[in-house]
Amino acid sequence: MSPLNISHRQWLLMKDKRSLSFLTRVLWFSTNQGQEGEAMAPLPPPIRVGFTENAGRGIFATRKISLGDLIHKAQPVVAHPSPAYLHKVCYFCLKCVGMRTSASSWRSMSNEEISLLHEPITAHYACNESSPGSSGLDRSFRFCSVECEEHSKGFFEIEKRADWSTFDEHCRMNGLKYPFLVKRLACMVLSGAEPADCLDILQPASLSPGMIARMEEEFELLRCTFMEAGFKDEKIAILTKQWYVGVLARIRINAFRIELAGGISGDLLSMAAASVLAEAAVGNAVYILPSFYNHDCDPNVHILWLEDVNARLKALRDIEAG
Protein backbone atom coordinates (compact mmCIF):
# COMPACT_ATOMS: atom_id res chain seq x y z
CA MET A 1 0.00 0.00 0.00
CA SER A 2 1.23 3.46 -0.91
CA PRO A 3 -0.22 6.35 1.09
CA LEU A 4 -1.15 9.68 -0.44
CA ASN A 5 1.61 12.21 0.01
CA ILE A 6 2.34 15.87 -0.55
CA SER A 7 5.60 17.68 -1.04
CA HIS A 8 6.13 19.73 2.10
CA ARG A 9 4.36 18.10 5.03
CA GLN A 10 5.31 15.28 7.36
CA TRP A 11 2.88 12.59 8.42
CA LEU A 12 1.44 13.00 11.90
CA LEU A 13 0.05 10.47 14.33
CA MET A 14 -3.41 10.51 15.88
CA LYS A 15 -3.41 10.35 19.64
CA ASP A 16 -6.06 7.73 20.42
CA LYS A 17 -9.34 6.10 19.42
CA ARG A 18 -11.24 9.30 20.20
CA SER A 19 -9.07 11.06 17.62
CA LEU A 20 -9.86 8.39 15.01
CA SER A 21 -13.59 8.90 15.54
CA PHE A 22 -13.15 12.66 15.22
CA LEU A 23 -11.12 12.32 12.04
CA THR A 24 -13.79 10.08 10.52
CA ARG A 25 -16.28 12.91 10.96
CA VAL A 26 -13.81 15.32 9.37
CA LEU A 27 -13.56 13.03 6.34
CA TRP A 28 -17.29 12.92 5.80
CA PHE A 29 -17.87 16.63 6.16
CA SER A 30 -14.83 18.03 4.37
CA THR A 31 -14.24 15.70 1.42
CA ASN A 32 -15.36 16.58 -2.08
CA GLN A 33 -15.20 13.94 -4.78
CA GLY A 34 -14.49 14.44 -8.47
CA GLN A 35 -13.90 17.65 -10.36
CA GLU A 36 -14.90 20.93 -8.77
CA GLY A 37 -18.31 22.19 -9.76
CA GLU A 38 -19.65 18.81 -10.84
CA ALA A 39 -23.12 17.86 -9.62
CA MET A 40 -22.63 14.39 -8.20
CA ALA A 41 -24.54 12.03 -5.92
CA PRO A 42 -22.91 11.60 -2.51
CA LEU A 43 -20.14 9.01 -2.56
CA PRO A 44 -18.06 7.46 0.20
CA PRO A 45 -14.93 9.50 0.96
CA PRO A 46 -12.13 8.72 -1.53
CA ILE A 47 -9.62 8.55 1.32
CA ARG A 48 -9.21 6.84 4.65
CA VAL A 49 -6.75 6.97 7.54
CA GLY A 50 -4.76 3.78 8.07
CA PHE A 51 -1.36 2.44 9.05
CA THR A 52 1.63 2.60 6.72
CA GLU A 53 4.19 -0.20 6.68
CA ASN A 54 6.87 1.73 8.53
CA ALA A 55 5.75 5.30 9.12
CA GLY A 56 2.77 5.14 11.42
CA ARG A 57 -0.58 6.34 10.16
CA GLY A 58 -1.18 7.86 6.75
CA ILE A 59 -3.99 8.61 4.30
CA PHE A 60 -4.93 6.06 1.62
CA ALA A 61 -7.19 6.12 -1.42
CA THR A 62 -10.35 4.04 -1.08
CA ARG A 63 -10.95 4.08 -4.83
CA LYS A 64 -9.10 5.17 -7.93
CA ILE A 65 -8.41 8.90 -8.02
CA SER A 66 -7.65 10.42 -11.40
CA LEU A 67 -5.10 13.08 -12.30
CA GLY A 68 -6.50 16.51 -11.44
CA ASP A 69 -9.27 15.23 -9.17
CA LEU A 70 -10.09 17.34 -6.17
CA ILE A 71 -9.48 14.88 -3.34
CA HIS A 72 -10.18 17.05 -0.38
CA LYS A 73 -11.04 20.57 0.73
CA ALA A 74 -10.20 21.86 4.17
CA GLN A 75 -10.95 24.92 6.23
CA PRO A 76 -8.42 25.80 8.93
CA VAL A 77 -8.97 25.46 12.63
CA VAL A 78 -7.04 28.69 13.04
CA ALA A 79 -5.26 31.07 10.65
CA HIS A 80 -3.50 34.43 10.91
CA PRO A 81 -1.97 36.85 8.39
CA SER A 82 1.78 37.32 8.22
CA PRO A 83 2.86 40.63 9.79
CA ALA A 84 3.97 41.96 6.39
CA TYR A 85 0.51 41.27 4.93
CA LEU A 86 -1.53 42.31 7.95
CA HIS A 87 -3.19 45.22 6.15
CA LYS A 88 -3.15 43.71 2.66
CA VAL A 89 -5.30 40.63 3.21
CA CYS A 90 -8.61 39.83 4.87
CA TYR A 91 -8.07 39.45 8.60
CA PHE A 92 -10.18 36.27 8.54
CA CYS A 93 -9.78 34.36 5.26
CA LEU A 94 -6.43 35.90 4.12
CA LYS A 95 -7.86 36.78 0.71
CA CYS A 96 -5.95 39.64 -0.88
CA VAL A 97 -8.10 42.74 -0.59
CA GLY A 98 -8.98 43.98 -4.06
CA MET A 99 -8.11 40.65 -5.73
CA ARG A 100 -9.51 40.39 -9.24
CA THR A 101 -12.79 38.57 -9.64
CA SER A 102 -13.79 36.47 -12.66
CA ALA A 103 -16.53 37.65 -15.01
CA SER A 104 -18.80 34.78 -14.01
CA SER A 105 -18.42 35.74 -10.34
CA TRP A 106 -19.22 39.38 -11.09
CA ARG A 107 -22.47 38.39 -12.80
CA SER A 108 -23.65 36.44 -9.76
CA MET A 109 -22.84 39.19 -7.25
CA SER A 110 -25.19 41.85 -5.92
CA ASN A 111 -24.32 45.54 -6.19
CA GLU A 112 -23.56 45.58 -2.47
CA GLU A 113 -21.15 42.64 -2.80
CA ILE A 114 -19.40 44.29 -5.75
CA SER A 115 -18.98 47.52 -3.80
CA LEU A 116 -17.35 45.61 -0.96
CA LEU A 117 -14.56 44.55 -3.31
CA HIS A 118 -13.62 48.21 -3.66
CA GLU A 119 -14.37 49.25 -0.10
CA PRO A 120 -13.09 46.59 2.32
CA ILE A 121 -14.60 46.64 5.80
CA THR A 122 -12.20 48.19 8.30
CA ALA A 123 -12.19 47.28 11.99
CA HIS A 124 -10.05 48.52 14.86
CA TYR A 125 -8.98 47.37 18.29
CA ALA A 126 -7.51 49.00 21.33
CA CYS A 127 -4.01 50.43 21.41
CA ASN A 128 -2.38 52.14 24.35
CA GLU A 129 -0.14 54.74 22.71
CA SER A 130 2.18 54.65 25.74
CA SER A 131 2.83 50.92 25.33
CA PRO A 132 6.32 49.94 24.15
CA GLY A 133 6.40 49.59 20.39
CA SER A 134 2.90 51.00 19.89
CA SER A 135 4.00 54.25 18.26
CA GLY A 136 3.14 54.37 14.59
CA LEU A 137 1.42 50.97 14.51
CA ASP A 138 -1.74 50.72 12.43
CA ARG A 139 -4.31 48.94 14.61
CA SER A 140 -6.95 48.68 11.89
CA PHE A 141 -7.71 45.47 10.03
CA ARG A 142 -9.71 44.75 6.92
CA PHE A 143 -12.25 42.11 6.03
CA CYS A 144 -13.04 41.27 2.43
CA SER A 145 -16.77 40.75 3.04
CA VAL A 146 -19.57 40.99 5.56
CA GLU A 147 -19.46 37.20 5.80
CA CYS A 148 -15.81 37.18 6.88
CA GLU A 149 -16.46 39.96 9.37
CA GLU A 150 -19.29 37.87 10.83
CA HIS A 151 -17.16 34.71 11.00
CA SER A 152 -14.35 36.65 12.68
CA LYS A 153 -16.51 37.29 15.73
CA GLY A 154 -15.30 33.92 17.00
CA PHE A 155 -12.05 35.66 17.92
CA PHE A 156 -12.24 39.37 17.12
CA GLU A 157 -14.83 40.31 19.76
CA ILE A 158 -12.33 39.09 22.38
CA GLU A 159 -9.19 40.25 20.60
CA LYS A 160 -10.26 43.86 20.11
CA ARG A 161 -10.86 44.34 23.85
CA ALA A 162 -7.13 44.10 24.57
CA ASP A 163 -4.06 46.12 23.66
CA TRP A 164 -1.75 43.67 21.89
CA SER A 165 1.03 46.18 21.22
CA THR A 166 3.58 44.61 23.56
CA PHE A 167 2.82 41.03 22.54
CA ASP A 168 2.82 41.81 18.81
CA GLU A 169 6.00 43.86 19.00
CA HIS A 170 7.74 41.06 20.90
CA CYS A 171 6.83 38.64 18.12
CA ARG A 172 7.99 41.02 15.38
CA MET A 173 11.28 41.87 17.07
CA ASN A 174 12.08 38.17 17.55
CA GLY A 175 10.86 37.04 14.14
CA LEU A 176 8.09 34.88 15.63
CA LYS A 177 5.02 33.92 13.59
CA TYR A 178 3.36 31.04 15.41
CA PRO A 179 2.49 32.94 18.63
CA PHE A 180 0.07 34.99 16.49
CA LEU A 181 -1.82 31.76 15.82
CA VAL A 182 -1.84 30.91 19.53
CA LYS A 183 -3.13 34.40 20.34
CA ARG A 184 -5.99 33.98 17.89
CA LEU A 185 -6.78 30.49 19.15
CA ALA A 186 -6.80 31.76 22.74
CA CYS A 187 -9.39 34.37 21.77
CA MET A 188 -11.45 31.66 20.04
CA VAL A 189 -11.32 29.50 23.19
CA LEU A 190 -12.38 32.40 25.42
CA SER A 191 -15.29 33.23 23.11
CA GLY A 192 -16.45 29.60 23.05
CA ALA A 193 -15.82 29.27 19.31
CA GLU A 194 -13.33 26.40 19.84
CA PRO A 195 -12.61 24.04 22.74
CA ALA A 196 -9.24 24.36 24.42
CA ASP A 197 -8.23 20.87 23.25
CA CYS A 198 -9.16 21.37 19.57
CA LEU A 199 -5.57 20.70 18.41
CA ASP A 200 -4.84 17.80 20.75
CA ILE A 201 -5.41 15.35 17.87
CA LEU A 202 -2.20 16.60 16.24
CA GLN A 203 1.31 15.41 17.02
CA PRO A 204 3.42 17.99 18.91
CA ALA A 205 6.98 18.90 18.02
CA SER A 206 9.82 17.93 20.33
CA LEU A 207 10.93 20.95 22.35
CA SER A 208 14.24 21.69 24.03
CA PRO A 209 14.30 23.18 27.55
CA GLY A 210 15.41 26.48 26.06
CA MET A 211 12.47 26.56 23.64
CA ILE A 212 10.04 25.79 26.46
CA ALA A 213 11.51 28.59 28.58
CA ARG A 214 11.02 31.10 25.73
CA MET A 215 7.46 29.89 25.20
CA GLU A 216 6.72 30.34 28.88
CA GLU A 217 7.90 33.96 28.62
CA GLU A 218 5.56 34.49 25.66
CA PHE A 219 2.73 32.97 27.68
CA GLU A 220 3.25 35.54 30.43
CA LEU A 221 2.91 38.32 27.83
CA LEU A 222 -0.32 36.74 26.58
CA ARG A 223 -1.74 36.34 30.06
CA CYS A 224 -0.76 39.88 31.11
CA THR A 225 -2.46 41.27 28.01
CA PHE A 226 -5.71 39.57 28.92
CA MET A 227 -5.43 40.61 32.57
CA GLU A 228 -4.76 44.26 31.70
CA ALA A 229 -7.84 44.18 29.45
CA GLY A 230 -9.99 43.27 32.43
CA PHE A 231 -10.37 39.52 31.91
CA LYS A 232 -10.79 37.84 35.29
CA ASP A 233 -8.68 34.91 36.47
CA GLU A 234 -11.61 32.53 36.26
CA LYS A 235 -12.26 33.54 32.66
CA ILE A 236 -8.73 32.82 31.48
CA ALA A 237 -8.00 29.94 33.88
CA ILE A 238 -8.24 27.47 31.00
CA LEU A 239 -5.30 29.19 29.27
CA THR A 240 -2.50 27.70 31.33
CA LYS A 241 1.23 27.70 30.68
CA GLN A 242 0.98 24.01 29.80
CA TRP A 243 -1.83 24.77 27.35
CA TYR A 244 0.22 27.47 25.62
CA VAL A 245 3.32 25.31 25.25
CA GLY A 246 1.28 22.30 24.07
CA VAL A 247 -0.61 24.31 21.45
CA LEU A 248 2.54 26.02 20.18
CA ALA A 249 4.35 22.67 19.99
CA ARG A 250 1.56 21.35 17.74
CA ILE A 251 1.43 24.50 15.63
CA ARG A 252 5.19 24.41 15.04
CA ILE A 253 5.01 21.05 13.27
CA ASN A 254 1.56 21.33 11.68
CA ALA A 255 1.22 24.91 10.43
CA PHE A 256 1.09 25.52 6.68
CA ARG A 257 2.50 28.60 4.94
CA ILE A 258 -0.37 30.06 2.93
CA GLU A 259 0.96 30.94 -0.52
CA LEU A 260 -1.90 32.10 -2.71
CA ALA A 261 -1.88 31.17 -6.38
CA GLY A 262 -3.75 34.41 -7.07
CA GLY A 263 -6.99 32.90 -8.32
CA ILE A 264 -5.28 31.57 -11.44
CA SER A 265 -7.46 29.32 -13.55
CA GLY A 266 -6.00 26.60 -15.73
CA ASP A 267 -4.51 23.15 -15.53
CA LEU A 268 -3.34 21.61 -12.29
CA LEU A 269 0.39 21.97 -13.00
CA SER A 270 -0.02 25.67 -13.76
CA MET A 271 -1.85 26.23 -10.48
CA ALA A 272 0.76 24.22 -8.58
CA ALA A 273 3.59 26.23 -10.16
CA ALA A 274 1.85 29.49 -9.32
CA SER A 275 1.56 28.41 -5.70
CA VAL A 276 5.23 27.40 -5.49
CA LEU A 277 6.35 30.66 -7.10
CA ALA A 278 4.35 32.84 -4.72
CA GLU A 279 6.69 35.57 -3.50
CA ALA A 280 5.85 35.23 0.19
CA ALA A 281 3.38 33.59 2.50
CA VAL A 282 0.37 35.79 3.23
CA GLY A 283 -0.13 33.93 6.49
CA ASN A 284 -0.10 30.64 8.34
CA ALA A 285 -2.86 28.18 9.19
CA VAL A 286 -3.43 24.87 10.95
CA TYR A 287 -5.72 22.19 9.51
CA ILE A 288 -6.70 18.77 10.79
CA LEU A 289 -6.92 16.34 7.88
CA PRO A 290 -4.15 17.81 5.67
CA SER A 291 -1.76 17.30 8.59
CA PHE A 292 -2.11 13.52 8.17
CA TYR A 293 -0.74 13.36 4.64
CA ASN A 294 2.70 11.81 4.26
CA HIS A 295 5.72 13.78 3.09
CA ASP A 296 7.43 12.62 -0.09
CA CYS A 297 9.96 14.08 -2.54
CA ASP A 298 7.90 12.56 -5.38
CA PRO A 299 4.38 13.55 -4.27
CA ASN A 300 1.16 12.30 -5.83
CA VAL A 301 -0.92 15.08 -4.25
CA HIS A 302 -0.49 18.84 -4.22
CA ILE A 303 -2.00 21.26 -1.72
CA LEU A 304 -2.83 24.71 -3.02
CA TRP A 305 -4.65 27.86 -2.09
CA LEU A 306 -6.35 29.82 -4.85
CA GLU A 307 -7.85 32.98 -3.36
CA ASP A 308 -8.05 32.43 0.37
CA VAL A 309 -7.03 30.19 3.27
CA ASN A 310 -9.31 27.31 2.27
CA ALA A 311 -7.03 24.49 1.11
CA ARG A 312 -7.52 22.18 -1.86
CA LEU A 313 -5.68 18.91 -2.29
CA LYS A 314 -5.53 17.61 -5.86
CA ALA A 315 -4.08 14.52 -7.46
CA LEU A 316 -0.86 15.11 -9.43
CA ARG A 317 -1.24 11.76 -11.16
CA ASP A 318 -3.59 8.77 -11.19
CA ILE A 319 -3.75 7.09 -7.79
CA GLU A 320 -4.96 3.53 -7.40
CA ALA A 321 -7.08 2.42 -4.45
CA GLY A 322 -5.11 1.20 -1.46
Side-chain angles (χ1 to χ4, degrees):
M1 295 191 301
S2 297
L4 278 67
N5 46 70
I6 53 181
S7 60
H8 61 294
R9 297 295 302 131
Q10 292 184 329
W11 58 269
L12 299 167
L13 301 180
M14 291 180 292
K15 283 185 62 179
D16 49 33
K17 293 181 179 179
R18 180 178 66 87
S19 298
L20 179 58
S21 174
F22 170 79
L23 192 56
T24 300
R25 295 197 298 274
V26 171
L27 282 172
W28 278 106
F29 286 105
S30 61
T31 301
N32 186 350
Q33 293 78 35
Q35 300 290 343
E36 291 184 83
E38 289 184 0
M40 300 178 66
L43 293 173
I47 53 178
R48 65 177 177 84
V49 176
F51 283 97
T52 64
E53 293 181 357
N54 54 15
R57 291 185 175 96
I59 292 181
F60 299 85
T62 58
R63 58 176 174 79
K64 181 177 180 179
I65 301 173
S66 300
L67 166 67
D69 275 0
L70 175 65
I71 301 170
H72 175 247
K73 288 182 179 179
Q75 293 181 335
V77 178
V78 60
H80 195 282
S82 297
Y85 284 83
L86 202 56
H87 308 294
K88 300 177 183 178
V89 299
C90 176
Y91 200 48
F92 177 76
C93 76
L94 310 191
K95 181 177 181 178
C96 294
V97 178
M99 180 178 285
R100 293 181 180 179
T101 305
S102 65
S104 59
S105 297
W106 278 100
R107 287 193 291 269
S108 64
M109 295 171 67
S110 67
N111 289 335
E112 180 181 0
E113 289 173 325
I114 292 174
S115 68
L116 287 174
L117 291 176
H118 299 283
E119 299 179 9
I121 301 164
T122 302
H124 306 264
Y125 65 59
C127 178
N128 180 357
E129 294 299 334
S130 63
S131 298
S134 65
S135 178
L137 288 180
D138 183 356
R139 313 305 294 178
S140 62
F141 305 97
R142 299 195 290 179
F143 298 100
C144 67
S145 66
V146 173
E147 182 181 19
C148 280
E149 183 184 33
E150 185 66 25
H151 286 315
S152 75
K153 289 181 179 179
F155 64 85
F156 197 62
E157 292 300 311
I158 297 292
E159 183 179 318
K160 69 183 181 181
R161 290 170 54 184
D163 175 12
W164 294 97
S165 302
T166 302
F167 185 89
D168 291 355
E169 186 65 12
H170 171 81
C171 293
R172 291 191 183 93
M173 293 297 293
N174 290 279
L176 304 174
K177 54 186 177 181
Y178 297 140
F180 290 113
L181 288 167
V182 185
K183 176 184 79 173
R184 177 159 294 185
L185 185 60
C187 293
M188 295 167 72
V189 170
L190 293 182
S191 74
E194 289 289 347
D197 63 353
C198 62
L199 297 185
D200 282 5
I201 191 175
L202 302 178
Q203 180 79 4
S206 298
L207 303 175
S208 68
M211 294 169 66
I212 294 175
R214 287 191 292 272
M215 290 178 181
E216 290 176 344
E217 292 177 5
E218 294 162 15
F219 167 75
E220 293 302 329
L221 285 176
L222 181 82
R223 181 177 176 80
C224 287
T225 300
F226 281 125
M227 295 290 289
E228 291 172 1
F231 289 87
K232 304 299 182 183
D233 283 336
E234 57 270 22
K235 176 71 173 179
I236 61 175
I238 196 171
L239 305 179
T240 65
K241 189 177 297 182
Q242 291 72 24
W243 176 86
Y244 184 93
V245 172
V247 166
L248 196 50
R250 286 169 172 81
I251 288 176
R252 284 178 63 88
I253 199 173
N254 292 288
F256 286 81
R257 287 166 45 91
I258 309 304
E259 299 171 337
L260 302 181
I264 293 174
S265 60
D267 62 84
L268 177 63
L269 292 179
S270 295
M271 290 189 289
S275 178
V276 171
L277 293 174
E279 291 185 0
V282 299
N284 297 276
V286 179
Y287 306 82
I288 298 299
L289 191 56
S291 293
F292 289 87
Y293 280 77
N294 284 358
H295 167 83
D296 199 291
C297 294
D298 183 25
N300 53 17
V301 174
H302 182 72
I303 184 169
L304 66 157
W305 298 268
L306 299 183
E307 293 185 341
D308 56 30
V309 74
N310 294 323
R312 292 167 171 80
L313 289 99
K314 289 194 172 187
L316 285 173
R317 55 177 179 268
D318 291 343
I319 302 170
E320 297 297 329

